[in-house]
Amino acid sequence: MNNLNILAIETSCDETSVAVLRNGREILSNIISSQITTHRVYGGVVPEIASRMHLESINLIIEEALREANMDFKDLDMVACTKGPGLIGALLVGISSAKAISYALDIPLVGVNHMEGHICANYLAHKDLEPPFIGLVVSGGHTYLIDVKNYNDYEIIGRTRDDAAGESFDKIARALGLSYPGGPEIDKLAKIGDASAIEFPRVIIDKKTYDFSFSGLKTAVLNYINNEKQKGNEINIADVCASFQQAVLDVLIEKSFRLLKEKDMKKLVISGGVAANSKLIEMAEKVGKEQGIKVYYPSKILCTDNAAMIGSAAYYDYVNGKKDELDLKVYPNLELGE
Ligand code: KG4
Ligand code: ZN
């Protein structure tokens, strides 16, 4: 197949992002306009505001992505967008723009699963990475352990039964009075805290399942904060951050490496916003070294939401025969592999 110039659009949550890729692994531009400072005032993403801000900026970001890639609309061979999961109004902005471009230029349209995009961020970061591998996808809304058998062939082995890993970071940060999103704040403070200061539960559920559960841990941390406040004790925020973070990461690491061992696989590929966590990467690399497992993760900018990862996933969808028509819908609750 000839080179494909792909314009990719991501608007599932609070980042308006547009990228231009050549095939599945070469980024020509990846513009990310974050709405975080606006939503921070409210302590989380306000869906209605997110849609409006996407609408206001999408055309400018498309133009900027083309300009940076030194391209014109006529140079494009394909357009991709996130079809879900995400906020319905936010997704609609990206999908409508992608449809308009597909129609006007008469080029193929590919709607991408956002979570598959997160996995594909690793193909951009590691040119040599090929499936099969075990994927740990940890974002604000989802937590998955996956057997990635091939491009486009995913088997979910474990998922969260309640809160996602990133969601638990955000909720605990909020209870501690830290700003949104909580992950980076906790990551930073945990560095100066003592991870063994407070014994929070590690919810492994039972050893047979690879599912996760983080709501019990969240409750334990919230109870600890309330009890200390009631006793009039001053809370050591850095110690709470470090102890909470360690409890989340111990479970993620234990399950990931147990699965690698069970499947006799040698590659662990971490992705999603929580993959930006410095301690998670440090722990994964340490255990990986001990057990002869290579650990892959993207650069910070490719961990959190961006359109380049959507372009990469679209490429592998397209070369495997997937393509959408102009009646493509948005799927706010899309599961990985759908
Ligand atoms: O993948 P992402 O950008 O958006 C979703 O698809 O959800 O992930 C955002 C999540 C948020 O919950 C945020 O707190 C978390 O990723 N996050 C982190 C870090 N950076 C972002 N969590 C832990 N440590 C970090 N350094
Ligand atoms: Zn995401």
mmCIF file of all heavy atoms in Angstrom, residues 272-290:
data_model
loop_
_atom_site.group_PDB
_atom_site.id
_atom_site.type_symbol
_atom_site.label_atom_id
_atom_site.label_comp_id
_atom_site.label_asym_id
_atom_site.label_seq_id
_atom_site.Cartn_x
_atom_site.Cartn_y
_atom_site.Cartn_z
ATOM 1 N N GLY A 272 -2.285 5.002 28.553
ATOM 2 C CA GLY A 272 -3.341 5.761 29.237
ATOM 3 C C GLY A 272 -2.718 6.796 30.163
ATOM 4 O O GLY A 272 -1.519 6.726 30.459
ATOM 5 N N GLY A 273 -3.536 7.737 30.613
ATOM 6 C CA GLY A 273 -3.027 8.848 31.418
ATOM 7 C C GLY A 273 -2.189 8.434 32.614
ATOM 8 O O GLY A 273 -1.170 9.068 32.935
ATOM 9 N N VAL A 274 -2.575 7.357 33.286
ATOM 10 C CA VAL A 274 -1.846 6.929 34.493
ATOM 11 C C VAL A 274 -0.461 6.358 34.144
ATOM 12 O O VAL A 274 0.419 6.268 35.004
ATOM 13 C CB VAL A 274 -2.702 5.924 35.321
ATOM 14 C CG1 VAL A 274 -2.005 5.522 36.603
ATOM 15 C CG2 VAL A 274 -4.077 6.524 35.653
ATOM 16 N N ALA A 275 -0.252 6.023 32.859
ATOM 17 C CA ALA A 275 1.084 5.583 32.432
ATOM 18 C C ALA A 275 2.097 6.717 32.553
ATOM 19 O O ALA A 275 3.309 6.491 32.499
ATOM 20 C CB ALA A 275 1.040 5.067 30.996
ATOM 21 N N ALA A 276 1.602 7.952 32.755
ATOM 22 C CA ALA A 276 2.507 9.090 32.979
ATOM 23 C C ALA A 276 3.038 9.084 34.413
ATOM 24 O O ALA A 276 3.884 9.899 34.768
ATOM 25 C CB ALA A 276 1.774 10.398 32.701
ATOM 26 N N ASN A 277 2.542 8.161 35.245
ATOM 27 C CA ASN A 277 2.960 8.136 36.657
ATOM 28 C C ASN A 277 4.401 7.624 36.793
ATOM 29 O O ASN A 277 4.710 6.503 36.396
ATOM 30 C CB ASN A 277 1.997 7.248 37.460
ATOM 31 C CG ASN A 277 2.288 7.310 38.948
ATOM 32 O OD1 ASN A 277 3.137 6.582 39.434
ATOM 33 N ND2 ASN A 277 1.611 8.197 39.649
ATOM 34 N N SER A 278 5.246 8.444 37.384
ATOM 35 C CA SER A 278 6.676 8.109 37.427
ATOM 36 C C SER A 278 6.948 6.861 38.269
ATOM 37 O O SER A 278 7.792 6.039 37.933
ATOM 38 C CB SER A 278 7.481 9.298 37.935
ATOM 39 O OG SER A 278 6.893 9.826 39.099
ATOM 40 N N LYS A 279 6.192 6.702 39.366
ATOM 41 C CA LYS A 279 6.419 5.546 40.238
ATOM 42 C C LYS A 279 5.956 4.250 39.570
ATOM 43 O O LYS A 279 6.599 3.199 39.719
ATOM 44 C CB LYS A 279 5.659 5.762 41.563
ATOM 45 C CG LYS A 279 5.970 4.753 42.630
ATOM 46 C CD LYS A 279 7.337 4.987 43.235
ATOM 47 C CE LYS A 279 7.702 3.859 44.170
ATOM 48 N NZ LYS A 279 9.007 4.038 44.792
ATOM 49 N N LEU A 280 4.861 4.310 38.823
ATOM 50 C CA LEU A 280 4.373 3.121 38.106
ATOM 51 C C LEU A 280 5.448 2.629 37.141
ATOM 52 O O LEU A 280 5.760 1.431 37.087
ATOM 53 C CB LEU A 280 3.070 3.437 37.344
ATOM 54 C CG LEU A 280 2.575 2.347 36.378
ATOM 55 C CD1 LEU A 280 2.243 1.047 37.096
ATOM 56 C CD2 LEU A 280 1.348 2.817 35.590
ATOM 57 N N ILE A 281 6.028 3.556 36.407
ATOM 58 C CA ILE A 281 7.048 3.182 35.419
ATOM 59 C C ILE A 281 8.298 2.645 36.120
ATOM 60 O O ILE A 281 8.870 1.634 35.716
ATOM 61 C CB ILE A 281 7.382 4.408 34.516
ATOM 62 C CG1 ILE A 281 6.126 4.835 33.733
ATOM 63 C CG2 ILE A 281 8.538 4.112 33.588
ATOM 64 C CD1 ILE A 281 5.441 3.743 32.926
ATOM 65 N N GLU A 282 8.677 3.327 37.208
ATOM 66 C CA GLU A 282 9.864 2.882 37.967
ATOM 67 C C GLU A 282 9.659 1.443 38.468
ATOM 68 O O GLU A 282 10.553 0.597 38.328
ATOM 69 C CB GLU A 282 10.043 3.859 39.150
ATOM 70 C CG GLU A 282 11.282 3.649 39.979
ATOM 71 C CD GLU A 282 11.208 4.525 41.258
ATOM 72 O OE1 GLU A 282 10.894 5.731 41.146
ATOM 73 O OE2 GLU A 282 11.447 3.978 42.349
ATOM 74 N N MET A 283 8.479 1.173 39.034
ATOM 75 C CA MET A 283 8.208 -0.170 39.561
ATOM 76 C C MET A 283 8.157 -1.205 38.444
ATOM 77 O O MET A 283 8.717 -2.300 38.562
ATOM 78 C CB MET A 283 6.866 -0.177 40.317
ATOM 79 C CG MET A 283 6.922 0.512 41.663
ATOM 80 S SD MET A 283 5.263 0.714 42.381
ATOM 81 C CE MET A 283 4.851 -0.982 42.803
ATOM 82 N N ALA A 284 7.485 -0.860 37.342
ATOM 83 C CA ALA A 284 7.349 -1.814 36.233
ATOM 84 C C ALA A 284 8.727 -2.149 35.654
ATOM 85 O O ALA A 284 9.026 -3.310 35.356
ATOM 86 C CB ALA A 284 6.436 -1.236 35.154
ATOM 87 N N GLU A 285 9.590 -1.127 35.528
ATOM 88 C CA GLU A 285 10.917 -1.380 34.964
ATOM 89 C C GLU A 285 11.757 -2.244 35.889
ATOM 90 O O GLU A 285 12.499 -3.117 35.444
ATOM 91 C CB GLU A 285 11.617 -0.058 34.668
ATOM 92 C CG GLU A 285 10.952 0.615 33.477
ATOM 93 C CD GLU A 285 11.841 1.595 32.758
ATOM 94 O OE1 GLU A 285 12.454 2.412 33.454
ATOM 95 O OE2 GLU A 285 11.891 1.536 31.519
ATOM 96 N N LYS A 286 11.601 -2.017 37.204
ATOM 97 C CA LYS A 286 12.381 -2.789 38.188
ATOM 98 C C LYS A 286 11.960 -4.264 38.138
ATOM 99 O O LYS A 286 12.807 -5.158 38.008
ATOM 100 C CB LYS A 286 12.153 -2.201 39.588
ATOM 101 C CG LYS A 286 12.925 -2.890 40.672
ATOM 102 C CD LYS A 286 12.842 -2.095 41.981
ATOM 103 C CE LYS A 286 13.510 -2.827 43.125
ATOM 104 N NZ LYS A 286 12.720 -3.929 43.651
ATOM 105 N N VAL A 287 10.659 -4.512 38.226
ATOM 106 C CA VAL A 287 10.179 -5.903 38.208
ATOM 107 C C VAL A 287 10.471 -6.533 36.841
ATOM 108 O O VAL A 287 10.847 -7.704 36.744
ATOM 109 C CB VAL A 287 8.664 -5.978 38.546
ATOM 110 C CG1 VAL A 287 8.174 -7.409 38.550
ATOM 111 C CG2 VAL A 287 8.380 -5.322 39.887
ATOM 112 N N GLY A 288 10.316 -5.735 35.779
ATOM 113 C CA GLY A 288 10.597 -6.226 34.430
ATOM 114 C C GLY A 288 12.035 -6.714 34.310
ATOM 115 O O GLY A 288 12.299 -7.791 33.754
ATOM 116 N N LYS A 289 12.961 -5.933 34.852
ATOM 117 C CA LYS A 289 14.376 -6.299 34.802
ATOM 118 C C LYS A 289 14.614 -7.619 35.544
ATOM 119 O O LYS A 289 15.291 -8.523 35.063
ATOM 120 C CB LYS A 289 15.211 -5.167 35.424
ATOM 121 C CG LYS A 289 16.580 -5.027 34.790
ATOM 122 C CD LYS A 289 17.328 -3.856 35.363
ATOM 123 C CE LYS A 289 17.565 -2.810 34.293
ATOM 124 N NZ LYS A 289 18.037 -1.545 34.857
ATOM 125 N N GLU A 290 13.990 -7.738 36.733
ATOM 126 C CA GLU A 290 14.160 -8.962 37.543
ATOM 127 C C GLU A 290 13.605 -10.187 36.828
ATOM 128 O O GLU A 290 14.121 -11.287 36.959
ATOM 129 C CB GLU A 290 13.412 -8.809 38.877
ATOM 130 C CG GLU A 290 14.089 -7.885 39.873
ATOM 131 C CD GLU A 290 13.119 -7.391 40.974
ATOM 132 O OE1 GLU A 290 11.991 -7.927 41.090
ATOM 133 O OE2 GLU A 290 13.505 -6.463 41.698
#
